[in-house]
């Protein structure tokens, strides 16, 4: 459903962040994108919804070619790609409900959204999502009153209310503690299963990635260097992606942690 | 995940949602809104606008705007240059004197380094200086000292004291106590303590504020001439009276350019001292 | 700070090198020379006889100016109302005009960096550099004396001030929040309303109240050049040397300024 063909990005500074990346994600597939910081993970997912303009190659969402769309058509396609951010990126001075409903902006006219008159079906869906993530009672709180984990849940609701076909997730757990990180990852993966969504999850925590996803893609200096199942992530592969280090410990830890983590 | 009970969701679904109001108390919210509306209606109605006069004036306004495209620096250049020189001199002299006086007063107005009687006197001076606008002070000083740049110079010095002392005092009150106490603990005298413990901490900001005040003094010096306290204001006033828009435009352009230059300069200086 | 090696090899600590202190001393010298020159200029333009006579004149004026003529108060209510309106309406108009200018001037929201932004910056610097009294003079020449000229003068002077503070606030917003709204497929206008406006709202409210406070001060003297408000009464009282009335007016202005400052401090406290 998402197909990248030779996607390339060179920044104005001359840094080539993506080197002709080819990638295909099928419907409902949850994929973790791992790699050291600076490998181009963020750039890759931002090139898909064109928050960053790619400088070469093509990206197809179903059969729509994204890289050449006009701005109006791009906005229509962005509605089908929900995005979840590293530092939650909630608008902190708006309420939780407004943040969730802002996911519907692509569907609602300016004045309706400006006056906060969203269709009842949107409001109901927002309540359902908030209930699903356990934050219904926080609906009218301001976003900056929430804890990190709660904020990320609101961020997930905002992405889901778009009714997307694909989630682009950028380091969802980077600023969360280990326990909350797992809860958030589990929530994202569960939601994708429930709704049959495909997802690209950028994540630097290899253990966490292995725990939750069915496919792992490794990026190093803007190029794909690994594509396989979590089991195939051997120390050799990790060395290839991240450089020399004792990887046995990381991989073993995963199994232990997984048992502990079951609530 | 343990969410609220299903029934809570069921009761909420189908309800309309409104953004919670900024002011929670309903009567206060509506009271303020209606009060503001009534005020606006009354205020706007009490403004008498002679639209006929405004309509006629648009033509003059257009001529003034056009004058900016071809300002006349030449015809009244002697008046302009004399007025500008006077403004600049008043600015420099009053900034120097004002800053020199505001430092002791600023020290005195900082509660953490000065005794209470001194504090009260200094705060009093600051309050008076800040409450009186430059132009009113200038009127009084012209009445007392006669026309000329002396009145303007005194006005700007006085205004500088209120502005700078207050900010300086606030800065000293907010400074890092530990650093200052470390110097005091070494057995320093009061002035040594000020010199080594206080001065280094507030100096960069003092320089920045002084530059900013220099800028303000220049802008203010441009209006003091209206009441006879010297500077370019008198020339400007004459130009308006005679409808010599091209000369007025020339003066305004010079003022804008000097203000821009001062801002640029103060930007550089502030970047260097911080 | 440097340490200098003496000829005998011992190190001496100095705050500055010899060259640096020479430059410093030269700087001070030039500064003092400029000040002396400026002072001479002022001194030559001054009739010192009046200055030596000043204490007597000041005493004379003081004795004539007290007590204030309280009965004059009844003629001041309307000018006070006008003054308040000039400040308030002027601030409101200025804010309306400052908002688009600020968005055009901020690096992250400007539609075009090389054409629109310089124009917006020019508007800011030119309206800001010129005192409201001068704007009032100009407007009186154009549209005639009165409260309306005062309102327009105050609003023009305030545009640059408000727009400058506002565009600095816009440049400091958190861009990721804006990115998140963009990613939902929101239009430019919606992104502004949801991503930018909530972030700058507190700054905006603070600027509005702050400028209103300054405008109260400025509108009290606009009447000196004929632009309405209590300054008109001040100017006419001064013209006829009615000192007791002048005293009363100055007291009223002082009170207005203090009340203005108090209100703005209260409102700012409530918002932030």
């Amino acid at each position: 459903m998402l197909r990248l063909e030779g996607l390339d990005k060179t920044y104005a500074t001359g840094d080539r962040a993506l080197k002709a990346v080819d990638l295909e994600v099928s419907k409902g597939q949850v994929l973790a994108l791992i790699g050291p910081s600076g490998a181009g993970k963020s750039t890759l997912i931002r090139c898909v919804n064109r928050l960053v303009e790619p400088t070469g190659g093509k990206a197809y969402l179903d059969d729509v070619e994204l890289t050449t769309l006009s701005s109006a058509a791009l906005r229509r396609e962005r509605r089908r790609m929900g995005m979840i951010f590293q530092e939650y990126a909630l608008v902190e001075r708006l309420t939780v409900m407004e943040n969730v409903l802002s996911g519907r902006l692509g569907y609602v006219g300016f004045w309706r959204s400006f006056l906060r008159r969203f269709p009842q079906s949107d409001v109901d869906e927002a309540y359902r999502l908030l209930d699903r993530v356990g934050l219904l009672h926080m609906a009218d709180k301001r976003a900056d009153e929430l804890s990190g984990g709660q904020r990320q849940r609101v961020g997930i609701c905002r992405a889901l209310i778009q009714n997307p076909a694909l989630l682009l997730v950028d380091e969802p757990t980077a600023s969360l503690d280990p326990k909350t990180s797992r809860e958030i990852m589990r929530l994202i993966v569960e939601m994708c299963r429930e709704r049959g969504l495909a997802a690209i999850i950028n994540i630097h925590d290899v253990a966490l990635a292995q725990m939750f996803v069915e496919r792992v893609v490794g990026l190093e200096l803007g190029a794909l260097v690994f594509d396989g199942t979590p089991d195939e992530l051997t120390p050799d592969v990790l060395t290839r992606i991240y450089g020399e280090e004792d990887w046995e410990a990381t991989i073993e830890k995963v199994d232990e942690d997984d048992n502990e983590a079951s609530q | 995940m343990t969410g609220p009970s299903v029934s809570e969701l069921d009761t909420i679904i189908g309800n309309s949602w409104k953004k919670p109001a900024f002011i929670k108390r309903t009567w206060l919210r509506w009271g303020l809104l209606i009060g503001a509306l009534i005020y606006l209606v009354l205020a706007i109605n009490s403004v008498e606008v002679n639209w006929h006069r405004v309509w006629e004036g648009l033509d003059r306004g257009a001529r003034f705007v056009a004058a900016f495209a071809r300002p006349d620096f030449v015809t009244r250049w002697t008046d302009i240059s004399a007025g500008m020189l006077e403004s600049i001199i008043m600015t420099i002299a009053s900034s120097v004197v004002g800053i020199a006086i505001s430092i002791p007063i600023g020290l005195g107005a900082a509660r953490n380094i000065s005794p209470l009687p001194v504090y009260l006197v200094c705060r009093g001076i600051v309050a008076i200086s800040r409450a009186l606008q430059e132009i009113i002070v200038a009127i009084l000083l012209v009445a007392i000292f006669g026309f000329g740049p002396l009145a303007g110079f005194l006005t700007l010095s006085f205004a500088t004291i209120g502005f700078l002392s207050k900010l300086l005092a606030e800065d000293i009150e907010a400074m890092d106590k530990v650093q200052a106490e470390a110097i005091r603990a070494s057995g320093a005298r009061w002035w040594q303590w000020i010199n080594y413990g206080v001065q280094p901490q507030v100096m960069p900001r003092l320089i920045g504020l002084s530059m900013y005040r220099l800028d303000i003094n220049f802008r203010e010096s441009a209006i003091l001439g209206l009441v006879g306290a010297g500077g370019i204001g008198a020339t400007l006033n004459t130009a308006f009276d005679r409808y010599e828009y091209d000369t007025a435009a020339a003066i305004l352009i010079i003022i804008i350019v000097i203000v821009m230059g001062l801002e640029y300069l103060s930007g550089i200086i502030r970047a260097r001292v911080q | 700070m440097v340490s200098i090696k003496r000829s005998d090899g011992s190190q001496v600590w100095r705050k500055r090198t010899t060259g640096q202190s020479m430059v410093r001393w030269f700087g001070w010298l030039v500064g003092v020379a400029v000040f002396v020159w400026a002072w001479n200029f002022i001194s030559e333009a001054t009739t010192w006889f009046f200055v030596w006579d000043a204490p007597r004149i000041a005493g004379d004026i003081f004795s004539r100016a007290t007590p204030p003529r309280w009965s004059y108060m009844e003629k001041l209510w309307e000018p006070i109302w006008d003054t308040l309106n000039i400040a308030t309406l002027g601030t409101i108009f200025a804010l309306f005009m400052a908002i688009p200018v600020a968005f055009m001037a901020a690096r992250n929201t400007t539609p075009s960096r090389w054409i629109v932004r310089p124009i917006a910056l020019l508007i800011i610097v030119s309206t800001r550099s010129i005192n409201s009294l001068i704007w009032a003079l100009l407007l009186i020449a154009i549209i005639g004396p009165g409260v309306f000229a005062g309102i327009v003068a105050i609003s023009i002077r305030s545009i640059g001030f408000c727009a400058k503070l506002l565009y600095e606030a816009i440049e400091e917003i958190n861009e990721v929040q804006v990115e998140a709204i963009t990613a939902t497929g929101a239009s430019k206008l919606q992104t502004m309303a949801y991503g930018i406006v909530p972030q700058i709202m507190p700054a905006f409210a603070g600027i509005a109240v702050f400028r209103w406070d300054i405008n109260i001060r400025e509108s009290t003297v606009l009447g000196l050049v004929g632009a309405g408000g209590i300054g008109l009464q001040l100017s006419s009282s001064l013209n006829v040397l009615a000192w007791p009335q002048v005293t009363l007016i100055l007291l009223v202005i002082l009170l207005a300024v203090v009340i203005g400052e108090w209100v703005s401090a209260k409102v700012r406290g409530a918002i932030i």
Side-chain angles (χ1 to χ4, degrees):
Chain A
M1 68 145 315
L2 179 74
R3 200 167 75 249
L4 310 182
E5 288 178 0
L7 203 63
D8 222 283
K9 172 67 189 177
T10 308
Y11 282 105
T13 51
D15 298 327
R16 195 166 170 213
L18 291 180
K19 295 170 186 158
V21 172
D22 291 308
L23 184 68
E24 188 156 358
V25 185
S26 54
K27 188 171 183 315
Q29 186 178 56
V30 177
L31 173 157
L33 193 59
I34 64 169
S37 43
K41 304 190 296 280
S42 252
T43 306
L44 179 69
I45 63 166
R46 281 177 165 73
C47 278
V48 174
N49 65 2
R50 282 174 57 191
L51 287 178
V52 171
E53 288 291 339
T55 43
K58 287 181 163 55
Y60 295 91
L61 183 63
D62 291 332
D63 288 320
V64 185
E65 212 281 275
L66 297 171
T67 54
T68 53
L69 290 178
S70 69
S71 67
L74 173 64
R75 266 186 273 134
R76 264 198 308 283
E77 291 307 314
R78 274 180 179 161
R79 303 189 304 203
R80 302 178 55 216
M81 298 181 276
M83 190 157 176
I84 297 169
F85 290 81
Q86 178 169 1
E87 302 274 354
Y88 334 118
L90 301 184
V91 182
E92 297 191 349
R93 297 189 61 86
L94 295 182
T95 62
V96 166
M97 195 61 180
E98 285 174 293
N99 269 294
V100 175
L101 285 169
S102 68
R104 296 300 293 178
L105 286 176
Y107 297 88
V108 176
F110 174 75
W111 285 109
R112 269 198 109 152
S113 63
F114 184 75
L115 299 169
R116 310 308 197 244
R117 293 271 162 79
F118 286 87
Q120 189 60 41
S121 54
D122 291 357
V123 175
D124 287 346
E125 178 63 12
Y127 281 135
R128 268 186 219 109
L129 282 165
L130 282 174
D131 183 52
R132 173 69 182 73
V133 303
L135 290 175
L136 189 57
H137 57 291
M138 300 287 231
D140 282 334
K141 284 260 189 318
R142 239 170 62 171
D144 53 8
E145 295 174 51
L146 270 56
S147 72
Q150 290 173 327
R151 288 188 203 195
Q152 194 56 290
R153 275 164 229 242
V154 176
I156 293 169
C157 292
R158 174 173 66 189
L160 290 175
I161 203 171
Q162 285 178 232
N163 197 17
L166 169 71
L167 283 186
L168 302 169
V169 189
D170 190 12
E171 298 282 5
T173 62
S175 30
L176 298 174
D177 64 68
K179 181 165 180 290
T180 319
S181 294
R182 292 205 188 158
E183 288 170 8
I184 291 294
M185 277 300 283
R186 184 171 295 117
L187 183 63
I188 293 174
V189 172
E190 273 175 17
M191 287 293 201
C192 287
R193 285 215 189 100
E194 279 172 25
R195 298 168 172 242
L197 306 183
I200 301 180
I201 306 179
N202 280 352
I203 188 157
H204 64 269
D205 185 337
V206 179
L208 206 58
Q210 284 176 301
M211 211 182 300
F212 289 104
V213 301
E214 63 227 50
R215 180 179 168 197
V216 176
V217 170
L219 205 60
E220 198 236 340
L221 291 175
L224 282 192
V225 292
F226 172 79
D227 187 348
T229 62
D231 302 334
E232 290 168 352
L233 270 181
T234 58
D236 285 347
V237 173
L238 288 174
T239 305
R240 173 103 199 273
I241 302 173
Y242 287 96
E244 198 64 52
E245 190 54 61
D246 179 13
W247 296 108
E248 289 298 337
T250 313
I251 296 168
E252 267 170 32
K253 199 177 96 219
V254 175
D255 303 324
E256 292 165 23
D257 284 358
D258 207 14
N259 298 333
E260 275 171 36
S262 49
Q263 291 176 316
Chain B
M1 195 154 305
T2 53
S5 61
V6 181
S7 60
E8 192 186 335
L9 178 65
D10 286 342
T11 54
I12 250 175
I13 291 283
N15 289 356
S16 64
W17 166 82
K18 266 209 218 109
K19 184 181 169 64
F22 178 62
I23 300 170
K24 299 254 165 16
R25 277 166 293 180
T26 321
W27 61 269
L28 185 64
R29 184 165 76 239
W30 285 103
L32 282 175
L33 195 68
I34 291 168
L37 273 178
I38 290 175
Y39 166 76
L40 273 184
V41 169
L42 285 179
I44 290 173
N45 277 329
S46 78
V47 178
E48 286 166 21
V49 184
N50 184 345
W51 289 111
H52 184 64
R53 179 80 172 77
V54 173
W55 179 249
E56 281 179 350
L58 285 183
D59 181 40
R60 275 193 292 270
R63 261 194 289 146
F64 179 75
V65 173
F68 261 97
R70 34 166 193 77
D72 179 5
F73 292 93
V74 184
T75 316
R76 307 229 169 252
W77 178 246
T78 41
D79 289 347
I80 296 176
S81 59
M84 271 299 159
L85 185 67
E86 207 168 66
S87 270
I88 292 170
I89 281 172
M90 275 158 46
T91 308
I92 295 172
S94 64
S95 299
V96 171
V97 171
I99 293 165
I101 301 177
S102 7
I103 291 172
I105 293 187
L107 290 176
R111 189 67 199 95
N112 53 346
I113 59 168
S114 71
L116 189 64
V118 179
Y119 169 77
L120 290 177
V121 171
C122 292
R123 280 282 162 176
I125 296 173
V126 170
I128 293 171
S129 158
R130 278 171 50 77
L132 296 170
Q133 289 111 303
E134 281 90 342
I135 199 86
I136 290 178
V137 176
I139 290 172
L140 295 177
L141 290 176
V142 167
I144 295 172
F145 291 106
F147 292 104
L150 182 72
F153 158 74
L154 291 174
T155 304
L156 292 178
S157 307
F158 184 60
T160 306
I161 294 169
F163 175 88
L164 216 55
S165 305
K166 174 161 188 278
L167 295 172
L168 184 63
E170 279 168 5
D171 216 37
I172 295 173
E173 283 171 356
M175 75 181 178
D176 184 2
K177 285 195 192 72
V178 183
Q179 275 186 50
E181 272 165 12
I183 302 289
R184 181 156 248 192
S186 70
R189 289 166 203 278
W190 188 83
W191 68 265
Q192 286 174 323
W193 175 52
I194 297 295
N195 190 3
Y196 287 92
V198 178
Q199 190 202 351
Q201 291 194 54
V202 295
M203 204 56 195
R205 211 167 120 78
L206 179 65
I207 292 175
L209 288 173
S210 301
M211 286 307 298
Y212 182 42
R213 186 64 218 188
L214 188 74
D215 181 7
I216 298 178
N217 278 347
F218 178 74
R219 277 186 252 177
E220 293 294 329
S221 78
I223 54 160
L224 294 181
L226 300 181
V227 295
I232 189 70
T235 320
L236 190 61
N237 201 3
T238 321
F240 280 128
D241 281 349
R242 294 185 187 147
Y243 296 104
E244 288 174 352
Y245 292 143
D246 39 6
T247 304
I251 296 173
L252 293 184
I253 288 173
I254 296 176
I255 294 176
I256 293 172
V257 168
I258 292 182
V259 169
M260 276 172 74
L262 280 174
E263 260 178 27
Y264 183 69
L265 190 72
S266 84
I268 292 176
I269 290 178
R270 262 181 290 185
R272 279 195 61 170
V273 294
Q274 263 151 16
Chain C
M1 282 173 227
V2 289
S3 54
I4 295 166
K5 222 174 202 133
R6 272 197 192 154
S7 50
D8 59 359
S10 63
Q11 297 241 328
V12 183
W13 180 84
R14 288 266 191 290
K15 202 168 173 186
R16 299 179 181 87
T17 64
T18 324
Q20 278 173 326
S21 34
M22 290 280 277
V23 169
R24 252 182 119 73
W25 279 112
F26 186 70
W28 278 107
L29 201 68
V30 171
V32 170
V34 167
F35 176 70
V36 169
W37 167 72
W39 176 251
N40 270 333
F41 182 95
I42 292 174
S43 164
E44 268 167 38
T46 305
T47 317
W48 285 100
F49 170 74
F50 287 135
V51 178
W52 305 133
D53 203 28
R56 196 186 57 77
I57 296 175
D60 185 40
I61 291 176
F62 184 78
S63 68
R64 272 195 263 169
T66 48
R69 194 178 146 212
W70 300 107
S71 60
Y72 189 58
M73 198 62 209
E74 62 187 55
K75 289 209 177 144
L76 289 182
W77 293 114
E78 207 187 319
I80 291 172
W81 169 250
D82 284 343
T83 305
L84 177 69
N85 292 342
I86 291 173
T88 312
L89 297 178
T91 311
I92 293 172
F93 289 141
L95 289 172
F96 272 112
M97 289 182 281
I99 292 168
V101 175
F103 274 100
M104 287 191 284
R107 280 191 196 86
N108 47 355
T109 54
T110 182
S112 117
R113 219 165 237 250
W114 300 111
I115 303 165
V116 178
R117 183 160 191 265
I119 294 174
L121 289 179
L122 186 70
I123 294 176
I124 289 175
V125 75
S126 51
T127 54
R128 225 166 69 83
S129 308
I130 293 172
N131 197 291
S132 48
L133 271 175
I134 297 180
W135 283 116
L137 270 182
L138 170 64
L139 284 158
I140 287 164
I142 293 174
I143 60 176
V147 173
F148 186 59
I151 294 173
V152 180
I154 285 281
S155 31
I156 293 180
R157 167 69 177 89
S158 308
I159 292 175
F161 180 93
C162 299
K164 177 164 194 272
L165 293 178
L166 198 57
Y167 98 71
E168 285 168 356
I170 296 174
E171 286 185 347
E172 278 168 21
I173 58 169
N174 181 340
E175 283 292 336
V176 187
Q177 296 179 19
V178 183
E179 213 181 22
I181 299 294
T182 315
T184 63
S187 67
K188 278 245 159 61
L189 228 52
Q190 286 175 322
T191 308
M192 218 178 241
Y194 272 74
I196 300 176
V197 171
Q199 293 196 57
I200 58 169
M201 221 39 207
F204 178 75
I207 293 165
V209 184
F210 183 33
R211 188 64 219 184
W212 178 78
D213 177 17
I214 299 177
N215 283 346
I216 286 276
R217 284 161 192 266
E218 301 207 334
S219 60
T220 56
V221 293
L222 281 182
L224 290 174
V225 295
I230 197 165
L232 274 178
Q233 263 62 28
L234 180 62
S235 153
S236 56
S237 300
L238 278 169
N239 284 340
V240 296
L241 296 177
W243 289 105
Q245 293 180 18
V246 172
T247 316
L248 181 70
I249 294 168
L250 291 186
L251 285 176
V252 167
I253 290 178
L254 212 60
L255 195 69
V257 168
V258 171
I259 293 176
E261 195 159 331
W262 181 79
V263 169
S264 95
K266 278 277 158 204
V267 174
R268 251 183 293 174
I271 293 169
I272 301 164

